[in-house]
Amino acid sequence: MRLGVDAQFATYKPRAGLFVHHLQLLRALQALGGVETALFLNRYGLPPERQAAIRAEVSAAMDGAPTHLASVPGRLQGLRMRLSPLGRLDVFYHVFGGTFGPIPGLANVFLVPDLIPLAV
């Protein structure tokens, strides 16, 4: 299975709850075997001059998981191919309120860590 993960949370500091959750999830998936995991960052959420450095920092912090920059087009058409340098993804794992919307043609999994954003 090929899993893409919205890892924008890993660009924020201090790294606590969501970061620890995802790091442990990636480690558990690696231990199971059979899962190729790639992290994705929204390039529009990062300063252009720092994108490469932030990408490398997130990858190192997440035990060397491959980390890629992606664009989020308005209608999300063709997003699957833009997101997947590994080929076709099977599943995309979102954090509720993250930077990527549902991706057509893939299984989309959403983590809802907190309901506070819905209270606004």
Side-chain angles (χ1 to χ4, degrees):
M1 174 177 57
R2 294 181 182 162
L3 173 68
V5 177
D6 179 352
Q8 202 74 23
F9 63 86
T11 64
Y12 310 126
K13 292 184 182 170
R15 291 184 175 136
L18 276 178
F19 177 81
V20 173
H21 166 81
H22 282 80
L23 182 57
Q24 295 301 322
L25 175 67
L26 290 176
R27 288 176 177 167
L29 289 172
Q30 287 174 345
L32 286 174
V35 179
E36 291 181 44
T37 305
L39 307 176
F40 292 91
L41 303 174
N42 180 356
R43 77 175 60 240
Y44 294 119
L46 306 174
E49 67 280 359
R50 296 246 318 116
Q51 288 179 355
I54 291 171
R55 182 178 156 213
E57 180 184 327
V58 168
S59 179
M62 298 296 282
D63 288 349
T67 304
H68 309 280
L69 298 175
S71 301
V72 183
R75 293 180 170 232
L76 298 173
Q77 297 301 318
L79 182 59
R80 176 179 61 185
M81 296 312 291
R82 289 186 182 154
L83 285 177
S84 183
L86 299 174
R88 185 182 165 277
L89 292 173
D90 298 309
V91 179
F92 198 86
Y93 183 80
H94 304 266
V95 175
F96 180 72
T99 58
F100 297 97
I103 301 171
L106 300 181
N108 289 272
V109 176
F110 290 84
L111 170 68
V112 182
D114 195 340
L115 296 177
I116 290 174
L118 297 176
V120 177

CSV table of all heavy atoms in Angstrom, one decimal, residues 18 21-22 93-98 109-118:
chain,number,residue,atom,x,y,z
A,18,LEU,N,0.2,16.5,17.6
A,18,LEU,CA,0.1,15.9,16.3
A,18,LEU,C,1.4,15.3,15.8
A,18,LEU,O,1.4,14.3,15.1
A,18,LEU,CB,-0.5,17.0,15.3
A,18,LEU,CG,-1.9,17.2,15.3
A,18,LEU,CD1,-2.3,18.3,14.3
A,18,LEU,CD2,-2.7,16.0,14.9
A,21,HIS,N,2.0,12.0,17.5
A,21,HIS,CA,1.1,11.0,17.0
A,21,HIS,C,1.5,10.5,15.6
A,21,HIS,O,1.5,9.3,15.4
A,21,HIS,CB,-0.3,11.7,16.9
A,21,HIS,CG,-1.3,10.8,16.1
A,21,HIS,ND1,-1.9,9.8,16.6
A,21,HIS,CD2,-1.7,10.9,14.8
A,21,HIS,CE1,-2.7,9.2,15.7
A,21,HIS,NE2,-2.5,9.9,14.6
A,22,HIS,N,1.8,11.4,14.7
A,22,HIS,CA,2.2,11.0,13.4
A,22,HIS,C,3.5,10.2,13.4
A,22,HIS,O,3.7,9.3,12.6
A,22,HIS,CB,2.2,12.2,12.4
A,22,HIS,CG,0.9,12.6,12.0
A,22,HIS,ND1,0.0,13.3,12.8
A,22,HIS,CD2,0.2,12.3,10.9
A,22,HIS,CE1,-1.1,13.5,12.2
A,22,HIS,NE2,-1.1,12.9,11.0
A,93,TYR,N,-3.8,10.4,3.9
A,93,TYR,CA,-4.1,10.6,5.3
A,93,TYR,C,-4.1,12.1,5.6
A,93,TYR,O,-3.1,12.7,5.5
A,93,TYR,CB,-3.1,9.8,6.2
A,93,TYR,CG,-3.4,9.9,7.6
A,93,TYR,CD1,-4.3,9.0,8.2
A,93,TYR,CD2,-2.6,10.7,8.5
A,93,TYR,CE1,-4.5,9.0,9.6
A,93,TYR,CE2,-2.8,10.7,9.8
A,93,TYR,CZ,-3.7,9.9,10.4
A,93,TYR,OH,-3.9,9.9,11.7
A,94,HIS,N,-5.3,12.6,5.9
A,94,HIS,CA,-5.4,14.0,6.2
A,94,HIS,C,-5.5,14.3,7.7
A,94,HIS,O,-6.0,13.5,8.4
A,94,HIS,CB,-6.7,14.6,5.6
A,94,HIS,CG,-6.9,14.3,4.1
A,94,HIS,ND1,-6.6,15.2,3.2
A,94,HIS,CD2,-7.4,13.2,3.4
A,94,HIS,CE1,-6.8,14.7,2.0
A,94,HIS,NE2,-7.3,13.5,2.1
A,95,VAL,N,-5.1,15.5,8.1
A,95,VAL,CA,-5.4,16.0,9.4
A,95,VAL,C,-6.6,17.0,9.2
A,95,VAL,O,-6.5,17.9,8.3
A,95,VAL,CB,-4.2,16.7,10.0
A,95,VAL,CG1,-4.6,17.4,11.4
A,95,VAL,CG2,-3.1,15.8,10.2
A,96,PHE,N,-7.7,16.8,9.9
A,96,PHE,CA,-8.8,17.7,9.8
A,96,PHE,C,-8.4,19.2,9.9
A,96,PHE,O,-7.7,19.5,10.9
A,96,PHE,CB,-9.9,17.4,10.8
A,96,PHE,CG,-11.1,18.3,10.7
A,96,PHE,CD1,-12.0,18.1,9.7
A,96,PHE,CD2,-11.3,19.3,11.7
A,96,PHE,CE1,-13.1,18.9,9.6
A,96,PHE,CE2,-12.4,20.1,11.6
A,96,PHE,CZ,-13.3,19.9,10.6
A,97,GLY,N,-8.7,20.0,9.0
A,97,GLY,CA,-8.3,21.4,9.0
A,97,GLY,C,-6.9,21.5,8.3
A,97,GLY,O,-6.4,22.6,8.4
A,98,GLY,N,-6.4,20.5,7.7
A,98,GLY,CA,-5.1,20.5,7.1
A,98,GLY,C,-5.2,21.3,5.7
A,98,GLY,O,-6.2,21.9,5.4
A,109,VAL,N,-8.5,9.3,4.3
A,109,VAL,CA,-8.6,9.1,5.8
A,109,VAL,C,-8.4,10.4,6.5
A,109,VAL,O,-7.4,11.1,6.2
A,109,VAL,CB,-7.6,8.0,6.3
A,109,VAL,CG1,-7.7,7.8,7.8
A,109,VAL,CG2,-7.8,6.7,5.5
A,110,PHE,N,-9.3,10.7,7.4
A,110,PHE,CA,-9.2,12.0,8.1
A,110,PHE,C,-9.0,11.8,9.6
A,110,PHE,O,-9.8,11.0,10.2
A,110,PHE,CB,-10.4,12.9,7.9
A,110,PHE,CG,-10.6,13.4,6.5
A,110,PHE,CD1,-11.1,12.6,5.5
A,110,PHE,CD2,-10.1,14.7,6.2
A,110,PHE,CE1,-11.2,13.1,4.2
A,110,PHE,CE2,-10.2,15.2,4.9
A,110,PHE,CZ,-10.7,14.4,3.9
A,111,LEU,N,-8.0,12.4,10.2
A,111,LEU,CA,-7.8,12.4,11.6
A,111,LEU,C,-8.5,13.7,12.1
A,111,LEU,O,-8.2,14.8,11.7
A,111,LEU,CB,-6.4,12.4,12.0
A,111,LEU,CG,-6.1,12.6,13.5
A,111,LEU,CD1,-6.6,11.4,14.3
A,111,LEU,CD2,-4.6,12.9,13.7
A,112,VAL,N,-9.4,13.6,13.1
A,112,VAL,CA,-10.0,14.7,13.7
A,112,VAL,C,-9.5,14.8,15.2
A,112,VAL,O,-10.1,14.2,16.1
A,112,VAL,CB,-11.6,14.6,13.7
A,112,VAL,CG1,-12.2,15.9,14.3
A,112,VAL,CG2,-12.1,14.4,12.3
A,113,PRO,N,-8.4,15.5,15.4
A,113,PRO,CA,-7.8,15.5,16.7
A,113,PRO,C,-8.5,16.5,17.7
A,113,PRO,O,-8.3,16.3,18.9
A,113,PRO,CB,-6.4,16.0,16.4
A,113,PRO,CG,-6.5,16.9,15.2
A,113,PRO,CD,-7.6,16.2,14.4
A,114,ASP,N,-9.3,17.4,17.2
A,114,ASP,CA,-9.9,18.4,18.0
A,114,ASP,C,-11.1,19.0,17.3
A,114,ASP,O,-11.1,19.2,16.1
A,114,ASP,CB,-8.9,19.5,18.3
A,114,ASP,CG,-9.2,20.4,19.4
A,114,ASP,OD1,-10.4,20.5,19.8
A,114,ASP,OD2,-8.3,21.1,19.9
A,115,LEU,N,-12.2,19.2,18.1
A,115,LEU,CA,-13.4,19.7,17.5
A,115,LEU,C,-13.5,21.2,17.6
A,115,LEU,O,-14.5,21.8,17.2
A,115,LEU,CB,-14.6,19.0,18.1
A,115,LEU,CG,-14.7,17.5,17.8
A,115,LEU,CD1,-15.9,16.9,18.5
A,115,LEU,CD2,-14.8,17.3,16.3
A,116,ILE,N,-12.6,21.9,18.3
A,116,ILE,CA,-12.6,23.3,18.5
A,116,ILE,C,-12.8,24.1,17.2
A,116,ILE,O,-13.5,25.0,17.1
A,116,ILE,CB,-11.3,23.8,19.2
A,116,ILE,CG1,-11.4,23.3,20.7
A,116,ILE,CG2,-11.2,25.3,19.2
A,116,ILE,CD1,-10.2,23.6,21.5
A,117,PRO,N,-12.1,23.7,16.0
A,117,PRO,CA,-12.4,24.5,14.8
A,117,PRO,C,-13.8,24.5,14.3
A,117,PRO,O,-14.2,25.4,13.6
A,117,PRO,CB,-11.5,23.8,13.8
A,117,PRO,CG,-10.4,23.1,14.5
A,117,PRO,CD,-11.1,22.7,15.8
A,118,LEU,N,-14.6,23.5,14.8
A,118,LEU,CA,-16.0,23.5,14.4
A,118,LEU,C,-16.9,24.4,15.2
A,118,LEU,O,-18.0,24.7,14.9
A,118,LEU,CB,-16.6,22.0,14.5
A,118,LEU,CG,-15.9,21.0,13.6
A,118,LEU,CD1,-16.5,19.6,13.8
A,118,LEU,CD2,-16.1,21.4,12.1
